[in-house]
Amino acid sequence: MPDTTEPAERIQISVHHRELLDQVLDKWSLQVLDELCEQPLRFNELRRAIPVVTQKSLTTTLRRLERNGMVDRVVVSSRPVAVEYRISSLGRSIQDLIDALFHWSRANMPDVERARARFDDED
């Protein structure tokens, strides 16, 4: 009997999808999103939470995440006026994916390190 099932449609990643994934899954964005999933933070609190990020890189990352709707920039009426960054509902919607990536990397790091060592030994 012939197979009448349709083949699964291959997912096509467009330029726009690739750009978004590059911006959301880059080096600093993952850490910023992870921190903001825990609680809203001011700029310097984020810098302390991620001490290896430069001021310029953090500023760029926050602006990019805000532009993509992942982070909300909220002006807090205090003296002096302060700005706080909060995870948006759109940003929170990828929290489980971020957590899964972190868990995967933690669980698989020994295998990755062994593969790297084998590769480096071949050179």
Side-chain angles (χ1 to χ4, degrees):
M1 189 169 217
D3 184 8
T4 58
T5 59
E6 296 285 323
E9 188 175 324
R10 187 165 182 259
I11 296 174
Q12 297 292 319
I13 299 177
S14 72
V15 171
H16 301 293
H17 294 121
R18 181 75 253 155
E19 178 186 21
L20 174 62
L21 291 172
D22 285 345
Q23 291 179 5
V24 173
L25 299 176
D26 78 343
K27 180 179 182 176
W28 301 120
S29 294
L30 281 174
Q31 289 184 287
V32 167
L33 290 169
D34 188 50
E35 291 295 331
L36 294 179
C37 280
E38 297 298 319
Q39 64 183 345
L41 294 169
R42 293 182 181 182
F43 185 89
N44 284 327
E45 292 171 325
L46 272 169
R47 289 249 355 244
R48 284 191 293 277
I50 311 168
V52 293
V53 67
T54 65
Q55 181 171 338
K56 181 180 179 184
S57 292
L58 183 56
T59 299
T60 301
T61 298
L62 286 167
R63 289 178 59 88
R64 190 173 48 242
L65 290 171
E66 184 182 4
R67 180 175 182 261
N68 285 311
M70 302 293 156
V71 168
D72 293 325
R73 182 180 181 270
V74 179
V75 176
V76 179
S77 52
S78 61
R79 298 243 187 244
V81 174
V83 173
E84 188 174 76
Y85 294 92
R86 299 177 181 171
I87 193 80
S88 69
S89 58
L90 183 59
R92 187 155 312 279
S93 72
I94 65 170
Q95 181 178 4
D96 290 341
L97 297 171
I98 292 169
D99 290 346
L101 284 171
F102 284 148
H103 291 299
W104 178 89
S105 64
R106 187 176 310 121
N108 290 286
M109 198 63 199
D111 292 334
V112 170
E113 288 172 347
R114 282 191 292 278
R116 287 174 177 173
R118 277 193 310 273
F119 183 88
D120 293 345
D121 288 344
E122 291 176 5
D123 287 343

